[in-house]
Amino acid sequence: MTENHADGIISGAKAAGRNALDESAGKALLAGFGIRVPQSRVAKGTADLEAVMDGLQTPVVVKVMSPDILHKSDAGGVKVNLRSIAEVRAAIEGMLAAPKIRGARVDGFLVEEMAPAGHELVVGGLRDPQFGPLVMVGLGGIFVETFKDVSFRLCPIARIDAEEMLDELKAAAILKGARGGKPASREAIIDVLMKIGGEDGLLLRYAADISEADINPLIVSETGAVAVDARFILG
Ligand code: ADP
Ligand code: MG
């Protein structure tokens, strides 16, 4: 992405009075830094789903887009593995009727391709008032929430820092395929960490605009990594 395009994503959200990027804009920003995101389209509702689905590979995922909803799954706002236009329509209708979505402002529904199966990691960033942006990585789910098994570094990180961040995780062995699981591509994770936290990375480039970044999850297979959820807080 040219700097202007990335700048436009952030200034557009600010001009609209938003304090966060919506998922579609967040993923466009990541893509601009060379991070893989699923192919996606935004559906306004259940009309024109033929056009929305045109060119997308099934199965797809549907997700509610709402500035009022932080955890889409908790609100019933994520449906995976949908194989037809009819299934996508039913998913959207179900979301529009869901108790936690009915009263919310809904911008639309993100329809996107499924990422190849893999380990779910979290890659994020936050801005320390004194030291500036920090980049973090951890394994998703209970590892982050219950065990707080994450590692942080001040930006910019070099490749060796990204390596150390991964080796530091208590769950590091899981990424190497412990207990019969498949390994996660170490190269792909390091690449994403550099694109987020490196010298030319997103966090430093937008240090003045982005106060928090959260890719949760980054799905990492043996061969690559895809950012399937993205949240950026501005300010
Ligand atoms: P939220 O965190 O707001 O509940 P996510 O966008 O993270 O919503 O989706 C919830 C879960 O659904 C993810 O953790 C992941 O397991 C799965 N998921 C979401 N999008 C995809 C996708 N494109 N491909 C594969 N799995 C997905
Ligand atoms: Mg998520």
Side-chain angles (χ1 to χ4, degrees):
M1 163 169 354
T2 63
E3 224 155 291
N4 286 343
H5 187 109
D7 289 351
I9 291 173
I10 289 169
S11 59
K14 280 183 173 169
R18 298 259 162 125
N19 60 3
L21 296 185
D22 70 34
E23 186 170 342
S24 172
K27 284 174 171 167
L29 187 61
L30 291 176
F33 279 79
I35 294 169
R36 261 177 73 199
V37 298
Q39 286 279 0
S40 69
R41 309 256 196 287
V42 176
K44 282 295 162 198
T46 53
D48 290 331
L49 287 179
E50 285 78 4
V52 167
M53 293 283 281
D54 188 39
L56 291 182
Q57 300 262 25
T58 54
V60 294
V61 185
V62 170
K63 304 184 193 184
V64 69
M65 295 172 68
S66 166
D68 301 329
I69 298 172
L70 259 181
H71 299 290
K72 301 178 292 289
S73 312
D74 294 351
V78 178
K79 279 260 181 297
V80 299
N81 253 314
L82 306 172
R83 298 184 176 278
S84 65
I85 290 174
E87 286 186 17
V88 169
R89 179 173 294 114
I92 293 175
E93 282 167 353
M95 287 179 194
L96 286 168
K100 289 185 180 157
I101 298 177
R102 252 191 336 243
R105 291 171 290 173
V106 171
D107 295 330
F109 297 88
L110 192 65
V111 183
E112 70 180 20
E113 294 180 357
M114 298 277 296
H119 294 272
E120 298 205 353
L121 275 73
V122 180
V123 171
L126 52 85
R127 196 173 51 200
D128 181 272
Q130 207 168 352
F131 298 109
L134 294 151
V135 59
M136 74 82 111
V137 66
L139 264 72
I142 55 165
F143 297 104
V144 169
E145 282 151 28
T146 312
F147 301 130
K148 312 268 184 257
D149 182 19
V150 293
S151 48
F152 283 93
R153 286 290 184 288
L154 210 53
C155 299
I157 54 166
R159 199 192 147 87
I160 180 83
D161 301 312
E163 305 251 13
E164 283 175 9
M165 288 174 80
L166 285 180
D167 295 336
E168 232 167 73
L169 295 174
K170 295 187 201 86
I174 292 174
L175 297 177
K176 293 179 178 153
R179 299 201 172 188
K182 286 190 178 150
S185 166
R186 186 174 168 91
E187 202 46 50
I189 304 168
I190 290 170
D191 184 60
V192 170
L193 284 172
M194 295 304 294
K195 283 168 174 164
I196 296 290
E199 195 153 19
D200 304 317
L202 192 155
L203 291 173
L204 271 182
R205 174 102 66 91
Y206 291 103
D209 300 295
I210 292 172
S211 58
E212 242 180 272
D214 196 26
I215 303 174
N216 186 4
L218 177 77
I219 300 186
V220 189
S221 70
E222 265 177 290
T223 54
V226 185
V228 309
D229 192 12
R231 185 163 169 79
F232 290 95
I233 313 281
L234 304 176

